[in-house]
Amino acid sequence: MAIPALPGQTRTPPSATAVEGFNTAPADETHATLLTCLHSPRWAQRIAEHRPYPDLDSLLAAADEAAYDLSPADLAEALAAEALPPLPEDTYSAAHTALSAAHAAYEARFGHVFVIYLGDAAPEEALDRVLEGIRSRLANDPDEERVVAAEELRRLARGRLAAATRGAGQRRAAAPPRGADSHGGTTPGGYQDTPPR
């Protein structure tokens, strides 16, 4: 199945060699790569232990399954490692103020950084989508928001893993957890703009 491109963007599909590279990489390298996708050692270990994967679809399905099985403690650990994304330099100051206030309200209510997957949003719509998402999710009770945040993390991890598997030369698309580097197509922040498969 092809990964759809955002308007004006072309995607290089993952090659069998890329998945083979993931399958044959040393365990510590694989584990480190997986932690840049989602900071959950249990999630990373589970995916790494089930190598080799015949193709990217199988790898992403395993990532989804492992994410669905995150315990509350695993979820809390993964959320604690997420970082707030920087806004584009050309964002006007009122947007910075609005986003900072919305993030602060969200963190005060739920105790963790706001995460959202933006794979289907055009870049110029991302800020509005984030603000709308925070505001609407502030109405959730903590249990509802835990479910929503877990789903957003799953989607983020899936997109980050697909980007890492595609390798270098791809559009910067995802945010690694705090302390992670930018290998595998990741950038600082908690948003994702690689479309889901």
Side-chain angles (χ1 to χ4, degrees):
M1 174 187 284
I3 299 172
L6 293 174
Q9 174 189 16
T10 59
R11 293 240 179 244
T12 303
S15 66
T17 308
V19 175
E20 182 179 315
F22 177 85
N23 287 334
T24 60
D28 59 338
E29 182 181 317
T30 300
H31 192 75
T33 297
L34 289 167
L35 288 176
T36 67
C37 298
L38 182 69
H39 191 76
S40 169
R42 183 172 165 255
W43 179 85
Q45 181 179 359
R46 184 170 167 189
I47 295 167
E49 285 177 349
H50 287 91
R51 294 183 300 165
Y53 294 94
D55 53 37
L56 182 63
D57 289 337
S58 300
L59 172 59
L60 295 178
D64 284 347
E65 183 179 332
Y68 286 129
D69 291 342
L70 290 176
S71 70
D74 295 327
L75 178 59
E77 181 178 29
L79 285 168
E82 292 293 325
L84 292 176
L87 290 175
E89 290 181 21
D90 61 348
T91 304
Y92 54 95
S93 64
H96 282 276
T97 302
L99 190 56
S100 294
H103 272 293
Y106 181 92
E107 286 194 61
R109 177 153 170 73
F110 299 112
H112 57 80
V113 171
F114 176 79
V115 291
I116 188 170
Y117 175 82
L118 296 173
D120 50 0
E124 63 273 8
E125 298 171 359
L127 178 63
D128 290 337
R129 183 105 169 259
V130 171
L131 285 169
E132 177 186 325
I134 292 175
R135 290 176 181 145
S136 67
R137 286 167 54 185
L138 277 168
N140 291 345
D141 68 43
D143 290 335
E144 289 173 321
E145 184 54 24
R146 193 173 302 111
V147 170
V148 173
E151 175 62 12
E152 295 299 317
L153 275 177
R154 182 197 65 78
R155 296 176 74 197
L156 284 165
R158 180 184 178 90
R160 291 168 179 164
L161 184 54
T165 304
R166 273 194 296 275
Q170 294 299 307
R171 182 171 176 238
R172 290 169 38 181
R178 290 178 194 170
D181 63 21
S182 60
H183 292 66
T186 56
T187 61
Y191 309 142
Q192 168 77 31
D193 62 2
T194 299
R197 292 177 47 99

